[in-house]
Amino acid sequence: MKAFRLDDLEAERAANEGAYLQFLRERNMSVGLYALDAGEHDPQKPHHQDEVYFVASGRASITVGPETTEVARGSVVYVPAGVAHKFHHISEDLRVLVVFSPPEA
């Protein structure tokens, strides 16, 4: 079994001074913590993998392809491989668990 605490992951991500921390990688998936602070720009580009976002905290909008929705703690968003997507209008520091399948390259 592998178990993780969000507080510990956030501390490790912050110590590495990056917006993204991959903390689990298995044969069919990888999982990471993505962090964007209020007002910050989301620089990501489309990925080669399907992904699922689970918003652990914060508030923002996300655009996936032509669709936009607001997200907050507890929101879950699926993004198909190759589709443009970005978080924007980040009004509260955003912490998102990201599941990639297959694993992120």
Side-chain angles (χ1 to χ4, degrees), residues 18-83:
Y20 184 72
L21 170 71
Q22 183 181 99
F23 61 89
L24 179 65
R25 183 177 182 85
E26 296 294 334
R27 186 172 58 88
N28 293 316
M29 67 174 209
S30 61
V31 185
L33 175 64
Y34 189 44
L36 294 167
D37 290 336
E40 196 169 352
H41 169 73
D42 181 1
Q44 66 180 319
K45 298 189 180 348
H47 305 285
H48 298 289
Q49 306 84 1
D50 288 339
E51 59 187 310
V52 173
Y53 289 116
F54 172 76
V55 178
S57 63
R59 185 174 300 277
S61 294
I62 185 171
T63 298
V64 178
E67 299 179 272
T68 298
T69 191
E70 292 185 16
V71 294
R73 187 173 68 85
S75 296
V76 178
V77 178
Y78 167 69
V79 179
V83 175

